[in-house]
C-alpha cells in the first residue's frame, strides 16, 4: 500500500519512487514480479498517470526496475540494489563517524547513538 503525503514538499512522483523502493527492499514487491500497470496504480492513488510514468522511469533509471516491451515494468535484482544501498549507507556512516570523532564523541557513545537511532529511540545525547 502506498500512502502519499500531500503536505510533503517533495513532488508526488518522488514519494511514489520512495514508497515503491521500500516495498521492494522489504520483499513485498518480489524480484522479477510485475509492477502494477501505470493506469491501475494511478487510479488506486487518484493521481495523474503521467506522475506514475515519471516515477517508473526514475525507478528504471536507478536500476530498481526493468521494462519488457509490450509487457510492462518488472522488479529488478533486489540483491544488487540492497548491496548498492548498503554501500551508500556505509559511506554516510563513515562521514558521521568522522564528524563524531571530530567533536569528541567516543566510539562507545557513537555506537550507543547508532543503536538508539536504529531502535527508533531518537538521537538525544545526555551530557
Amino acid at each position: 500500500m502506498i500512502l502519499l503525503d500531500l503536505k510533503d514538499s517533495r513532488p508526488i512522483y518522488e514519494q511514489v519512487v520512495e514508497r515503491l523502493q521500500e516495498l521492494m527492499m522489504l520483499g513485498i514487491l518480489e524480484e522479477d514480479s510485475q509492477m502494477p500497470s501505470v493506469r491501475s496504480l494511478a487510479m488506486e492513488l487518484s493521481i495523474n498517470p503521467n506522475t506514475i510514468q515519471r516515477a517508473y522511469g526514475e525507478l528504471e533509471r536507478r536500476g530498481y526496475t526493468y521494462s519488457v516491451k509490450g509487457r510492462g515494468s518488472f522488479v529488478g535484482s533486489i540483491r544488487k540494489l540492497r548491496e548498492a544501498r548498503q554501500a551508500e549507507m556505509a559511506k554516510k556512516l563513515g562521514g558521521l563517524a568522522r564528524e563524531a570523532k571530530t567533536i569528541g564523541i567516543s566510539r562507545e557513545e557513537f555506537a550507543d547513538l547508532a543503536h538508539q537511532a536504529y531502535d527508533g529511540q531518537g538521537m538525544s545525547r545526555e551530557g
Side-chain angles (χ1 to χ4, degrees), residues 4 12-13 16 20 36-58 73:
L4 301 174
I12 298 291
Y13 87 94
V16 172
L20 289 171
S37 73
V38 169
R39 183 170 287 145
S40 69
L41 189 54
M43 286 177 52
E44 181 183 324
L45 299 176
S46 300
I47 59 177
N48 190 311
N50 292 333
T51 303
I52 301 299
Q53 189 64 48
R54 185 170 181 187
Y56 277 20
E58 185 63 22
S73 294

Side-chain angles (χ1 to χ4, degrees), residues 1-15:
M1 179 75 182
I2 297 176
L3 298 174
L4 301 174
D5 181 1
L6 300 178
K7 295 177 183 172
D8 193 324
S9 62
R10 295 174 303 151
I12 298 291
Y13 87 94
E14 286 182 10
Q15 292 182 52

Side-chain angles (χ1 to χ4, degrees), residues 40-93:
S40 69
L41 189 54
M43 286 177 52
E44 181 183 324
L45 299 176
S46 300
I47 59 177
N48 190 311
N50 292 333
T51 303
I52 301 299
Q53 189 64 48
R54 185 170 181 187
Y56 277 20
E58 185 63 22
L59 286 167
E60 187 167 352
R61 188 186 69 73
R62 294 181 186 180
Y64 282 86
T65 61
Y66 62 93
S67 296
V68 176
K69 191 168 177 91
R71 296 208 42 229
S73 294
F74 294 82
V75 178
S77 171
I78 300 302
R79 182 184 56 77
K80 288 180 185 176
L81 296 171
R82 188 169 282 127
E83 288 171 2
R85 293 281 297 266
Q86 285 176 343
E88 184 180 314
M89 190 181 345
K91 184 177 179 180
K92 289 178 184 177
L93 193 56

Side-chain angles (χ1 to χ4, degrees), residues 90-105 110:
K91 184 177 179 180
K92 289 178 184 177
L93 193 56
L96 289 172
R98 282 188 296 281
E99 184 177 345
K101 206 175 203 181
T102 300
I103 62 173
I105 295 176
F110 182 74

